Amino acid sequence: MFRFLLVRIASAIPVLLVLSVATFAIIQAPPGDYSDYIRSQLINQGGASFEEADAQAQAYRKEHGLDQPLPIQYVNWMTGILTRGDFGHSLYYNKPVADVVGERLPRTLALALVCHFLASLFGISFGILAATRQYSWVDSLLSTVSFLGMTVPRFLMALIIVYVLVFHFNVSEINSFHSARFGGAPWSWDKFVDLVKHVWPVVAIATFGGLAYNMRVMRGNLLDTLNAQYVETARAKGLSEGAVVMRHAVPNALHPLIMYQGVVLPYMLTGEIETAIIFALPTVGPAIVGSMWVGDVYVTATFMLVLSATLIVGNIIADLLLAALDPRVRMGGRAHA
């Protein structure tokens, strides 16, 4: 198992490098950079002439290395990451990119993990319930919920909730994690309740989409498993239907869902990102959009690199979980080794 883990980590390194090159090139592909944002700000808000603003913008480009060729900019960025752990300097936030990521990524991961836990818990439970009551009204109701969760766009659900909260319930603080009175207060039960009141729409929307997929896959896999020969054998031995389902059918039906865990964390992150953009929460989503808008390339590239790393880490964790659940995977790994 340890050797398997080392091989997967070693194989992930070149993948990350390729993804970093592709991401950096795609981000830099559109014309313009942060100096154009500087120029427009000087003209629109500073009252400078175009010549004066352009001269300052060009000086800014040269000072921060934005005038260098793309390969040199990439090499400088990667050299800083590999040798000093320096992800660059955010031009917009005027602070190290690591500080920007450190402020927003933990909040995003915490929300994504909560959404993932709830989506897995309710999705698997509803899938078992629907499969064991096939063609009943319970199955029809849960299938409808799954269909809505898979098809309704998350940003549309977010817009509807924002409209209802603002225009029907007069909620004004929807773009923060806490009310103003809890901003600098130490953690307490009241502050936690206030946090839940602010983030529940994001959690509900992201959980709804993940729940729908988990339930759909679990229902289909469990229906196939319940018709397998070893399940019929378990019934013939006199085991109760509950024992047959939970001890024999469910563990085998979980395999595809465990493999899905390799992509579920990035999926939950994107679900959180879409919703957080609508609610303007200080998480990864608004930071990515804002940095792309102004041309803060190092912030965008770093966040994209982090999201790529979560996908790779998620796949490794999924493989380890599958090996722990299914002895055949472990035996196959030893035989192959």
Side-chain angles (χ1 to χ4, degrees):
M1 184 68 72
F2 182 70
R3 179 177 178 273
F4 167 77
L5 180 60
L6 289 179
V7 171
R8 290 304 307 271
I9 293 176
S11 63
I13 294 175
V15 175
L16 278 177
L17 288 176
V18 172
L19 288 173
S20 68
V21 172
T23 301
F24 200 84
I26 292 173
I27 293 172
Q28 294 275 41
D33 51 35
Y34 189 74
S35 64
D36 296 316
Y37 174 75
I38 295 290
R39 183 190 301 112
S40 64
Q41 290 294 101
L42 290 173
I43 294 174
N44 297 329
Q45 298 186 11
S49 64
F50 178 82
E51 291 75 15
E52 295 173 341
D54 186 64
Q56 294 189 44
Q58 294 303 325
Y60 189 91
R61 291 185 79 242
K62 186 174 182 179
E63 179 183 356
H64 291 83
L66 300 178
D67 59 336
Q68 296 178 343
L70 177 60
I72 295 179
Q73 293 187 45
Y74 172 78
V75 170
N76 291 336
W77 180 56
M78 287 304 299
T79 301
I81 294 175
L82 297 175
T83 60
R84 304 184 303 274
D86 182 9
F87 290 86
H89 191 82
S90 172
L91 306 176
Y92 179 75
Y93 295 99
N94 194 28
K95 64 173 70 172
V97 173
D99 293 347
V100 180
V101 175
E103 291 173 358
R104 294 174 177 262
L105 185 62
R107 304 168 184 168
T108 306
L109 287 175
L111 285 175
L113 290 174
V114 169
C115 295
H116 170 48
F117 173 77
L118 294 176
S120 299
L121 176 64
F122 289 109
I124 293 173
S125 301
F126 289 165
I128 296 173
L129 189 63
T132 53
R133 291 162 175 78
Q134 189 180 17
Y135 303 132
S136 67
W137 68 269
V138 175
D139 186 22
S140 300
L141 176 62
L142 294 177
S143 296
T144 302
V145 172
S146 175
F147 174 77
L148 292 175
M150 295 286 290
T151 55
V152 178
R154 287 175 292 228
F155 74 87
L156 178 60
M157 289 189 282
L159 288 173
I160 293 174
I161 291 178
V162 168
Y163 177 82
V164 172
L165 290 177
V166 172
F167 293 100
H168 290 272
F169 293 96
N170 296 320
V171 177
S172 58
E173 298 175 332
I174 62 172
N175 60 343
S176 62
F177 283 96
H178 298 285
S179 302
R181 63 193 182 95
F182 288 106
W187 277 103
S188 61
W189 176 252
D190 291 338
K191 186 173 183 178
F192 175 76
V193 172
D194 183 71
L195 172 66
V196 173
K197 290 180 180 178
H198 282 76
V199 303
W200 73 262
V202 178
V203 174
I205 293 171
T207 299
F208 188 48
L211 175 154
Y213 182 89
N214 287 329
M215 183 177 71
R216 181 179 178 183
V217 173
M218 187 64 192
R219 178 186 180 277
N221 291 336
L222 188 55
L223 286 175
D224 292 337
T225 305
L226 287 173
N227 294 321
Q229 184 176 359
Y230 65 88
V231 175
E232 296 296 336
T233 302
R235 290 193 179 105
K237 289 181 177 181
L239 294 177
S240 66
E241 188 63 20
V244 170
V245 171
M246 300 307 298
R247 290 175 54 187
H248 296 277
V250 169
N252 289 284
L254 283 173
H255 289 182
L257 279 177
I258 292 176
M259 292 305 300
Y260 172 63
Q261 305 311 303
V263 297
V264 72
L265 184 54
Y267 176 82
M268 286 298 174
L269 283 172
T270 55
E272 184 278 335
I273 286 172
E274 292 179 26
T275 311
I277 290 173
I278 302 298
F279 283 87
L281 291 175
T283 57
V284 167
I288 292 177
V289 174
S291 61
M292 293 180 66
W293 178 258
V294 301
D296 197 352
V297 60
Y298 297 120
V299 171
T300 308
T302 300
F303 274 125
M304 292 301 179
L305 187 63
V306 169
L307 293 179
S308 302
T310 61
L311 177 60
I312 293 174
V313 171
N315 277 284
I316 294 175
I317 293 175
D319 289 340
L320 295 176
L321 288 175
L322 188 60
L325 179 68
D326 192 343
R328 294 171 298 178
V329 176
R330 296 196 297 271
M331 294 300 296
R334 294 193 190 103
H336 182 72

